[in-house]
Amino acid sequence: GPQISVDDWNISEQYAEDWSVFYVQNHPFGTPYVYPEVSAYDNYDGYAQVVFEGEVGNDLGVYELIVSSTDSAGNRSFVTLNVEVIDQEPPVVRMNGDSTMTVGFGSIFVDPGATAVDNHDGTMLLDEDSISYKQLSPNGQQIDVEGISTDSLAKYEITYQFEDSSGNTASATRWVMVLPPEGEIIDIIKDGAIGANWDAGIQGYDQ
């Protein structure tokens, strides 16, 4: 039968255990499938018609297409094309509230959280394992902590991490600063001694 050639560079040639040739193609989820460029040439008829059997569905998974061609003498050739519909698009994270927030010393911090929308999974909600906290020290160190504490003046980083069912990840970060209550005066240096609110990032000089 005619010799079938797959001319699309996005398709890879593979060999089965019996050394027969088949082809593999990845196709992005959510986009219409277009049959690839395939040609068939017969030693008597010249270029011959190519027929695709099967279809590629909309869901994730592998779909088998049979690509065949038959010459005028009835000789038929065919190859198999396995099309895998895959999702490589990460979720889109939408953070509730501002990316930088302040909370008063001794107050209760209420995390507004975040959500994400995925092209395959739809709306994704946070769970506790998807949130991480770091305390940012003045010398640049980042210390893993369990949550936001308002017992001292500090700066925190909250990271919201999302992962869809295909393993694609996305994240968003919020910074939270614990500040003195509005109008309160804090002692950095008082009567020549370091106050309780001394921060290594603050320096003072007295003549």
Side-chain angles (χ1 to χ4, degrees):
Q3 178 68 38
I4 298 175
S5 301
V6 179
D7 305 319
D8 195 318
W9 64 271
N10 287 313
I11 298 176
S12 61
E13 185 178 273
Q14 306 287 333
Y15 291 91
E17 293 182 357
D18 62 357
W19 292 102
S20 61
V21 175
F22 67 97
Y23 295 88
V24 175
Q25 180 185 25
N26 289 333
H27 176 68
F29 171 81
T31 61
Y33 182 76
V34 178
Y35 289 114
E37 293 184 8
V38 178
S39 61
Y41 188 82
D42 184 69
N43 59 352
Y44 178 77
D45 297 335
Y47 286 103
Q49 183 180 6
V50 174
V51 176
F52 287 88
E53 300 173 36
E55 62 180 26
V56 177
N58 296 322
D59 295 330
L60 301 178
V62 178
Y63 300 86
E64 183 179 271
L65 300 180
I66 302 299
V67 186
S68 64
S69 182
T70 305
D71 64 16
S72 59
N75 301 307
R76 179 177 181 267
S77 299
F78 72 91
V79 295
T80 300
L81 171 59
N82 293 327
V83 180
E84 183 173 7
V85 178
I86 59 175
D87 173 24
Q88 293 181 310
E89 188 173 332
V92 177
V93 181
R94 297 175 179 173
M95 198 157 48
N96 302 323
D98 297 330
S99 59
T100 300
M101 300 181 66
T102 60
V103 59
F105 174 82
S107 301
I108 298 176
F109 174 70
V110 179
D111 189 350
T115 59
V117 176
D118 185 66
N119 65 323
H120 178 262
D121 298 344
T123 301
M124 305 174 66
L125 303 178
L126 275 173
D127 56 56
E128 292 184 1
D129 295 334
S130 302
I131 308 175
S132 61
Y133 303 89
K134 293 182 184 295
Q135 183 175 345
L136 309 179
S137 61
N139 61 7
Q141 286 185 321
Q142 297 184 355
I143 305 169
D144 292 326
V145 293
E146 295 296 323
I148 304 297
S149 172
T150 62
D151 293 340
S152 61
L153 305 183
K155 183 177 181 179
Y156 293 91
E157 179 183 283
I158 308 176
T159 300
Y160 309 100
Q161 182 83 20
F162 291 86
E163 181 176 350
D164 67 17
S165 57
S166 296
N168 304 304
T169 61
S171 64
T173 300
R174 187 194 313 276
W175 289 271
V176 178
M177 291 178 287
V178 181
L179 301 178
E182 188 174 350
E184 180 178 339
I185 299 175
I186 62 173
D187 294 328
I188 301 300
I189 298 178
K190 183 177 182 181
D191 297 330
I194 294 175
N197 294 301
W198 169 263
D199 187 305
I202 302 176
Q203 297 180 4
Y205 177 77
D206 181 43
Q207 294 181 336

